[in-house]
Amino acid sequence: MLELVDVYKTFNLGTINEKKALNGVNLKLEAGDFVTVIGGNGAGKSTVLNAIAGVWPVDSGAIIIDGMNVTGLPEHKRASVLGRVFQDPMTGTTATMEIQENLALAARRGQFRGLRWGITKKEKKEYRELLATLDLGLEDRMTSKVGLLSGGQRQALTLLMATLKKPKLLLLDEHTAALDPKTAAKVLELSDHIIEDHKLTAMMVTHNMRDAIIHGNRLIMMNEGRVILDIKGEEKKRLTVEDLLRKFEEISGEEFANDKALLG
Amino acid sequence: MLNLLPVLGSLYLGNHDPMALVRALPGNISQGLIWGIMAIGVYLTYKILNFADLTVDGTMATGGAVTVMLILAGYPPVIAVAMAFVAGMVAGFVTGILHTIFGIPDILAGILSQIALYSINLNITGGKANQAVSVDQFNLLVSLRYISKTILVTGIITIAIIAILYWFFGTERGFTIRATGCNPNMSRAQGINTSVAKVIALVFSNGLVGFAGGLLAQYQGNCDVNMGRGAIVIGLASVIIGEVLGEAIFGNKLNFCGRLLFVVFGSIIYYVVINFVCWLGLPSIDLKLFSAIVVAVFLAVPYLRAKSKNSYRRAAKGGTQ
């Protein structure tokens, strides 16, 4: 479903801030894979997701989604096959537009947007039912501006928007990191449900090793812009946080320096 | 002392005829309506797109120049203002390209277009700083000689413009512009080409401003290369006055139509106030200073009010009690 071939990206080339963010990333996802991505700060986790989404062009390598080479496509043209949820709850929705209008924007991802109505009566009905499944009471606030919602509500709505048109790949970029623990757990549970129900292929970046182990059928660890560990199937099911830490030290030759990942 | 105030007041106002204010009112309304169309253009960029577009100072004069020259060349005034709309659209398109393709920051892109338009406008008028067009010779759409006709014509045009914009911003394409103005990152993630959305908004905004310039030139009977100077300030004043007033009356219930209507009211109020301070004795050379102060105050008050609820000084005094 997704193939990354020797993807390289360096930021601020030739300046004092030069940073080799992606250092030859190779990865192949099968349809239905739910991969969790872990790694220390600056390991390249979010950078990989941004490379796939086309936030900027990569320096070299190829990005292939469901057989289509998207390496040369800008961000808005890749959007038709991707669903994305970001770390910052403010990023995924439009605060000055209504809840139903945000959903209508997402429903037209990948379509030409002309002079037909931005939202139809039929859609409003569908969205009401869809919002009811979130169990947050949003179905009664369809015409409220999204700016009035809490971070958790906005993240749940973003998740709904990202999957409203079934994406070939769902990218979750630390989408629970900015939420309180209780809300984070709820949004994670919702993510699991949606991915399972729609049989989506998904990548989820997380700082939390335990979450990375519990969720998904596959786990990759990144370090210095490379995939250094790829665990799937039965092995993934038996994995513990201690295993992960030991493997990290074995491969990278250094200690995993990230309190948040250990304590989380 | 207090008893003296009315006496002093009547002494001062004795030299000023209150009826003069009433007599000037229709003129203020017609002027406010014409500038209201311009202010709607400013609303599109400043409020919806979140883009402070300074092109409009040039576009206003461009619209005037195009209209007057076309009328003098024998074209009907309706065609002339339509072409002013088109000329404005071209100006907005250039600013949009400077910003989206060449990466020039919004304010600078607008200033570059504005300066370029100064020369272009002089070229349109054949090198003359102003060109007259007499209502006696031509059947103009609006004129300060026929105030009630002006109010009727501009009123109908304004309602039509608001209706069209209300429809447009309810369409899929309109949605992309609203989303781009609020959250460009999200818009791209939802497959919206934000550059296209920005250019479309700038094109229509400047089209409206050019159109208003065309009406203004007919209204005052000439076009002037400086007629747009400070237009952005008048536009912003109308937008802000309208917003403050609209929200004070209707609160959050104010919908998009209402907001546009209040922009036009804001423009009318602006001209009534300007007329009032002139009547009080403000020299006309100080008008732009006064306008700038009005806009600065209206922009500053909401900010300072929010800040006063959340200040260090207040915290030092022991919080909210």
Side-chain angles (χ1 to χ4, degrees), chain A residues 75-76 79 84 90-96 101-102 105-106 108-109 112-118 161, chain B residues 166-176 178-179 182-183 185-194:
Chain A
E75 190 177 6
H76 68 269
R84 289 161 71 194
M90 305 302 141
T91 314
T93 44
T94 297
T96 55
E101 289 175 337
N102 270 272
L105 274 174
R108 286 159 179 76
R109 193 168 56 225
F112 176 77
R113 296 171 206 248
L115 296 177
R116 282 167 305 184
W117 289 117
M161 288 166 61
Chain B
Y166 184 70
W167 162 75
F168 177 71
F169 283 100
T171 67
E172 294 173 343
R173 186 51 67 175
F175 270 37
T176 67
R178 291 165 63 196
C182 177
N183 190 344
N185 287 325
M186 172 271 193
S187 303
R188 281 189 291 272
Q190 297 299 350
I192 293 168
N193 187 335
T194 50

Side-chain angles (χ1 to χ4, degrees), chain B residues 5 73 82 115 130 159 169 204 208 217 220-221 249-250 271 276 292 307:
Chain B
L5 276 178
I115 288 299
N130 55 62
I159 288 167
F169 283 100
F204 281 107
L208 285 174
Q220 61 192 25
I249 298 175
F250 291 105
Y271 275 98
F276 180 68
K307 214 178 158 195

Side-chain angles (χ1 to χ4, degrees), chain B:
Chain B
M1 182 66 199
L2 274 177
N3 295 334
L4 271 176
L5 276 178
V7 180
L8 284 172
S10 63
L11 271 177
Y12 178 70
L13 295 177
N15 300 326
H16 296 68
D17 175 14
M19 282 316 286
L21 277 179
V22 179
R23 279 196 302 274
L25 202 57
N28 301 150
I29 292 173
S30 54
Q31 217 172 355
L33 279 168
I34 292 172
W35 280 92
I37 294 170
M38 185 271 173
I40 289 175
V42 171
Y43 185 90
L44 297 189
T45 45
Y46 181 70
K47 276 290 170 185
I48 298 181
L49 194 61
N50 196 16
F51 186 114
D53 178 27
L54 301 186
T55 317
V56 294
D57 279 26
T59 317
M60 195 79 189
T62 306
V66 167
T67 301
V68 170
M69 296 314 285
L70 283 178
I71 292 174
L72 292 179
Y75 289 91
V78 177
I79 302 291
V81 281
M83 290 315 290
F85 190 90
V86 174
M89 288 169 85
V90 174
F93 183 76
V94 170
T95 303
I97 296 300
L98 288 176
H99 178 64
T100 57
I101 307 260
F102 297 109
I104 299 170
D106 53 358
I107 291 189
L108 201 50
I111 290 177
L112 289 175
S113 295
Q114 182 198 117
I115 288 299
L117 283 173
Y118 188 84
S119 295
I120 291 169
N121 295 342
L122 281 171
N123 274 296
I124 295 173
T125 54
K128 291 192 184 138
N130 55 62
Q131 283 276 11
V133 57
S134 167
V135 70
D136 295 326
Q137 281 174 297
F138 302 97
N139 184 20
L140 301 181
L141 286 174
V142 294
S143 168
L144 44 75
R145 294 252 299 277
Y146 306 106
I147 296 281
S148 37
K149 182 190 173 194
T150 300
I151 292 176
L152 185 72
V153 170
T154 47
I156 290 170
I157 292 172
T158 302
I159 288 167
I161 289 171
I162 291 176
I164 292 169
L165 289 177
Y166 184 70
W167 162 75
F168 177 71
F169 283 100
T171 67
E172 294 173 343
R173 186 51 67 175
F175 270 37
T176 67
I177 293 167
R178 291 165 63 196
T180 298
C182 177
N183 190 344
N185 287 325
M186 172 271 193
S187 303
R188 281 189 291 272
Q190 297 299 350
I192 293 168
N193 187 335
T194 50
S195 297
V196 170
K198 282 180 184 172
V199 172
I200 290 176
L202 283 165
V203 162
F204 281 107
S205 164
N206 279 283
L208 285 174
V209 176
F211 183 79
L215 287 181
L216 185 65
Q218 293 188 44
Y219 179 75
Q220 61 192 25
N222 67 71
C223 70
D224 190 296
V225 74
N226 287 318
M227 68 189 263
R229 179 163 290 172
I232 182 71
V233 177
I234 298 176
L236 283 178
S238 312
V239 168
I240 298 163
I241 293 170
E243 184 169 55
V244 168
L245 199 72
E247 284 181 358
I249 298 175
F250 291 105
N252 282 332
K253 287 194 194 96
L254 197 62
N255 69 5
F256 184 66
C257 256
R259 284 178 187 279
L260 291 182
L261 264 180
F262 268 98
V263 168
V264 179
F265 291 153
S267 174
I268 294 172
I269 290 167
Y270 174 84
Y271 275 98
V272 171
V273 171
I274 288 291
N275 181 53
F276 180 68
V277 293
C278 287
W279 178 80
L280 282 180
L282 185 80
S284 63
I285 54 167
D286 292 335
L287 268 184
K288 290 218 188 317
L289 174 65
F290 177 78
S291 306
I293 291 171
V294 167
V295 173
V297 167
F298 269 95
L299 284 174
V301 165
Y303 173 77
L304 291 178
R305 216 195 254 160
K307 214 178 158 195
S308 72
K309 288 184 190 138
N310 197 14
S311 80
Y312 292 107
R313 198 180 294 169
R314 191 175 174 138
K317 279 183 191 159
T320 49
Q321 292 311 307

